[in-house]
Amino acid sequence: MSTWRKAQQLAAAQGIDALLVTPGADLRYLTGYVALPLERLTCLVLPAVGEPTLVVPALERKAAVASGVDVAIETWNETEDPYALVADLVGPVTTIGVDDHMWASRVFALGEAIPGADQVLAGSLVQELRIRKDADEIEALREAGLAIDRVHRRVHEWLRPGRTEREVGADIARAIIDEGHVTVDFVIVGSGPNGASPHHEVSDRVIQEGDPVVVDIGGTMPSGYCSDSTRNYLAGGTVPPEYAEAYAVLHEAQRVQREHARPGVTAESVDLIGRQIIADAGYGDLFIHRTGHGIGQETHEEPYIVEGNELVLEEGMAFSIEPGIYFDGRFGARIEDIAVCTADGLEVLNNTPRELVEL
């Protein structure tokens, strides 16, 4: 059964008369069409009953057809009102579900074009499908994991004292493409004190001998599925003793989290079991983010591995396990793997060394 038919069934069950989905991961998931988020409206009209229609600008019809979408395509010309076309296709309805990433301007325009309908967010409905990966999706994530692992195995080619984070990051970005990705989604090279900022990217800081360096990298594969993995490197010199002690705790916490995660346990339990190890060692205040996030056609999606998320993990759920310890102004460390729940356990998709790599 096509993904859009599954979404259609969920919409009907939830009392949503039609789903409206604009460019983004949800549209790609439902139709396979990677539409650019431009000013001209592209919108999938998916009624709870009946056949869907993909509304596209006339000049993008060929691109939509080439993507292999299995739904009807309606086009609009420059001087026509695409929102009126969507309204005609929707017809008389009570409730419309709009995708979570729809631009606000489009939400308002659709509200004016279909004034009698209540608008509700439909993101959770599509996530209900996306959160459980099938065999093809898991294979795509495996390929992504292997590709980003190949990049990590080459970091020694570029990371050394005397180079800037930006220079190293540029080399890594090229390798991400060379190793099979179609886009570079992010490159973090956090040397020394910059490693204490989890979402630092790159800067003109010159890497010093003895710097611990956090390298967190990811991209999107031709399949549309994403990679994401973090490893830690020492740019020559001697490991700072305080860093080595903290890293040993972090390494153990992440190992225990990997061994704990499996179908039947809650998302928050994976976070808590590692967080307790880090807290017991005296670093609790230095673990400043959740343990992980789901991954698929977006780098961050459900399920989130965080305290308060009582979701029970199931077969096919894929997510990161990435605890971190950060010493503000000095250095930081994070170990991240992507993993997917199997029928009775966990398959880890990143398998480069998790120990500190001394260059």
Side-chain angles (χ1 to χ4, degrees):
M1 180 184 295
S2 65
T3 53
W4 63 258
R5 288 196 183 278
K6 294 177 183 178
Q8 191 176 49
Q9 290 177 353
L10 284 177
Q14 295 181 19
I16 298 174
D17 299 311
L19 297 178
L20 302 180
V21 183
T22 50
D26 284 348
L27 181 64
R28 180 171 190 164
Y29 179 79
L30 293 171
T31 68
Y33 181 35
V34 185
L36 295 176
L38 303 175
E39 71 279 6
R40 297 180 179 91
L41 179 69
T42 292
C43 182
L44 174 67
V45 180
L46 180 58
V49 178
E51 296 300 307
T53 303
L54 182 64
V55 173
V56 301
L59 77 169
E60 293 177 18
R61 179 182 177 83
K62 287 186 178 180
V65 171
S67 72
V69 297
D70 62 344
V71 301
I73 297 174
E74 288 280 350
T75 62
W76 59 276
N77 295 309
E78 294 285 2
T79 58
E80 295 177 319
D81 181 358
Y83 298 96
L85 173 56
V86 170
D88 287 342
L89 290 168
V90 169
V93 293
T94 301
T95 305
I96 292 173
V98 298
D99 75 80
D100 285 12
H101 299 102
M102 185 180 291
W103 294 354
S105 60
R106 290 177 175 163
V107 174
F108 281 100
L110 288 166
E112 292 176 359
I114 315 171
D118 292 330
Q119 292 180 332
V120 298
L121 288 174
S124 60
L125 183 154
V126 182
Q127 280 294 339
E128 178 70 14
L129 300 174
R130 289 176 53 186
I131 197 171
R132 297 170 187 82
K133 273 62 179 179
D134 63 22
D136 289 340
E137 292 177 290
I138 293 170
E139 180 58 29
L141 286 170
R142 284 194 193 102
E143 292 176 0
L146 289 170
I148 209 65
D149 279 0
R150 291 194 295 270
V151 179
H152 270 297
R153 290 192 179 97
R154 296 182 58 193
V155 166
H156 69 277
E157 298 177 23
W158 316 296
L159 179 54
R160 57 182 176 271
R163 303 196 77 204
T164 67
E165 294 174 348
R166 195 177 308 280
E167 289 170 334
V168 174
D171 288 330
I172 290 174
R174 284 189 287 270
I176 289 173
I177 298 299
D178 290 345
E179 296 295 348
H181 298 79
V182 292
T183 60
V184 177
D185 294 337
F186 56 91
V187 174
I188 294 173
V189 181
S191 64
N194 290 338
S197 175
H199 281 174
H200 173 79
E201 294 183 349
V202 296
S203 74
D204 292 321
R205 183 181 185 275
V206 176
I207 298 168
Q208 305 296 309
E209 184 170 346
D211 274 348
V213 184
V214 179
V215 176
D216 184 352
I217 52 179
T220 300
M221 298 289 285
S223 63
Y225 286 78
C226 301
S227 66
D228 186 3
S229 180
T230 308
R231 293 296 186 258
N232 301 270
Y233 301 86
L234 184 72
T238 304
V239 183
E242 189 174 7
Y243 179 90
E245 292 173 8
Y247 197 89
V249 172
L250 180 66
H251 188 274
E252 175 65 7
Q254 206 256 4
R255 181 190 68 80
V256 170
Q257 288 176 316
R258 283 187 283 112
E259 292 183 353
H260 173 78
R262 63 184 55 248
V265 307
T266 63
E268 71 172 356
S269 73
V270 180
D271 178 273
L272 292 172
I273 198 169
R275 193 172 298 276
Q276 190 63 54
I277 292 171
I278 292 171
D280 288 347
Y283 303 112
D285 291 343
L286 306 184
F287 182 8
I288 57 177
H289 54 72
R290 66 194 174 210
T291 284
H293 54 80
I295 190 168
Q297 293 204 18
E298 291 179 287
T299 307
H300 288 191
E301 58 183 54
E302 297 285 354
Y304 291 99
I305 310 303
V306 63
E307 183 178 0
N309 187 0
E310 298 178 353
L311 174 75
V312 175
L313 299 179
E314 299 177 22
E315 182 179 0
M317 292 185 179
F319 47 87
S320 68
I321 299 177
E322 51 176 307
I325 298 176
Y326 308 93
F327 293 80
D328 190 34
R330 299 181 61 195
F331 41 62
R334 180 169 62 259
I335 303 171
E336 177 184 17
D337 294 311
I338 299 303
V340 60
C341 286
T342 62
D344 57 1
L346 193 76
E347 179 182 352
V348 180
L349 305 184
N350 298 113
N351 289 291
T352 56
R354 298 175 184 89
E355 296 76 17
L356 178 66
V357 178
E358 299 185 35
L359 302 175

